[in-house]
Amino acid sequence: MINRFAHHLFDFNRPESRGEVIFFKLLEIAAGGILIYQVWGWAAYIRTISDVVMPLGLAHYIDITFMFDTALPVVNAALISGLLLAGFLRLSRWAYPVAFVLLLFQYAARYSLGEIPHGTNLTAMVLLGLSIAGLAFSDKTIQRRFTLGFTYFFVGLAYTLAAWSKLIGTGPHWIDGSHLWIWLHEKAIDTLALQGSHSFNALQELAFSNYYIASFFLLAGLITEFFAWLFWLKPTRLWMGLALLGLHAGIFLMLHITFWMNVVLLILLTLPWATWIDHSLMRTPVAEPIARVTSRIG
Amino acid sequence: MRASVQKRALYLLLCTFIAYGVLVASHEGEFWPFSIYPMFSQAGNEWSRAVVRSVDESGTTTDWASIHQHELPGEPLALTDYGLRHDLANFIARTETWDDDRVAGLERMFREPLRDHRLLVYRVRGGLVDGDSVAVWFEPYAFLSADTTVLNPDLR
């Protein structure tokens, strides 16, 4: 059984196509690009911080205030960016792991004010998978397969844990529609604070209009998360991925939370990009050797 | 060869999973990038957020009574215009003692808008009332100007 599980995640025995190699590069570029974008944004934000309200991650063990009021966040962002590029170019197998460690500092400094965001968690898990793969395996195909399987596993785990957190934190009555009404007002205040105004959209008004409709929305979300472990299995990965994308669409329309980094990752991991690239490569005409063309003319 | 690779891959996955479990279990569910993803897990609870208003010279620092949204003075200050995010609400909600460092942290957060604005920070609380409707209260929390910071004495 464990071997079948591993086969679903890693599939080491299947030959690797050119499409898969190109797709993996795209995944790496997306993950690296997202993380570079984030660390520079965090570096800019850290300038507004002078105190640790609630330590997160590494800040439990290190006084992260040394990152405040200095150029260190910018230096760290530059280092992380350089290391991610070096990792992508395979200049060193330590580039990704060191970038990951430096990211821990950047995150801890940025999120020391009490907010606990989860937008970058899965992207950072891709980097962790790349880091482990580079250190543990020398074969590039195996590195890619391991990273993908590693990512599939932790994406499925993340959403499944989210469902269990709700069931443990509240219980089955989490789906009570009035809970959604409370969050809709909470998010409206967030929008008011961020943008200066807010108004409810048609879907939100629909949820307000009927308790059972509101409860149905929550039920659909909880069921989707509860079965997210189906992302681990090859036959169900596509459908589960689409369901999770639908979940994010619902969260965006209802609560104005985009989770855009997770959405990018899910779009990449769910849709059969490698197959599409392979088909595209097969359709692309290849230039015939000149000798063969001239002999045919002759 | 592939069997040994698969075995090693599973071993590495298991090790990461165990590290994940140990770290989230020992750090209240969060040790980035590991998490139990507890957002929205505590349904039905009262919430606390924050909004900021830009007030003119007549903006008072003595009237700290809670008000409704339509009674808010001045103009809204859109936090995104100053690159600020949701940190303010958490900063206020998680601060139990407003010592000098914490007040300085609040002032630093608004360093840029305070060049042109006098600000009233409201703590906004919401919750279900009578089981079928949501009530929202706006509590004045702090008044900030370029050279003054006054906290609501009832909340401090």
Side-chain angles (χ1 to χ4, degrees), chain A residues 3 12-13 45 47 49-51 61 69 107 110 114 118 120-121 136 158 165 170 174 179 182 190 193-194 196, chain B residues 2 8 27 30 32-33 35-37 40-41 43 47 49-50 76 78-80 83 85-87 94 102 105 108:
Chain A
N3 283 333
F12 285 123
N13 292 320
Y45 205 100
R47 286 184 300 133
I49 303 173
S50 64
D51 198 14
Y61 301 101
D69 256 334
Y107 177 88
R110 165 60 185 89
H118 295 100
T120 50
N121 287 51
S165 291
T170 302
W174 182 87
H179 298 155
I182 298 174
D190 274 345
L194 293 174
Chain B
R2 297 284 165 169
R8 187 193 282 192
H27 294 85
E30 293 290 341
W32 190 85
S35 174
I36 59 166
Y37 298 94
F40 300 110
S41 63
W47 48 260
R49 309 303 294 165
L79 295 177
T80 49
R85 303 292 304 163
H86 296 302
D87 301 275
R94 294 185 195 278
R102 201 49 59 86
R108 187 185 180 91

Side-chain angles (χ1 to χ4, degrees), chain B residues 61-65 140-143 150-156:
Chain B
T61 59
T62 54
D63 185 3
W64 299 104
Y141 201 91
F143 169 80
V150 185
L151 295 176
N152 182 339
D154 298 332
L155 301 172
R156 186 162 183 163

Side-chain angles (χ1 to χ4, degrees), chain B residues 49-112:
Chain B
R49 309 303 294 165
V51 297
V52 185
R53 306 291 289 191
S54 172
V55 293
D56 58 22
E57 293 296 323
S58 62
T60 175
T61 59
T62 54
D63 185 3
W64 299 104
S66 292
I67 56 176
H68 293 103
Q69 187 170 347
H70 68 270
E71 298 169 308
L72 286 170
E75 298 295 321
L77 185 98
L79 295 177
T80 49
D81 290 349
Y82 298 93
L84 298 171
R85 303 292 304 163
H86 296 302
D87 301 275
L88 174 65
N90 295 295
F91 189 89
I92 289 174
R94 294 185 195 278
T95 295
E96 290 173 1
T97 306
W98 282 90
D99 56 21
D100 291 346
D101 286 345
R102 201 49 59 86
V103 172
L106 187 66
E107 291 167 347
R108 187 185 180 91
M109 193 181 287
F110 288 105
R111 189 169 49 183
E112 196 182 332

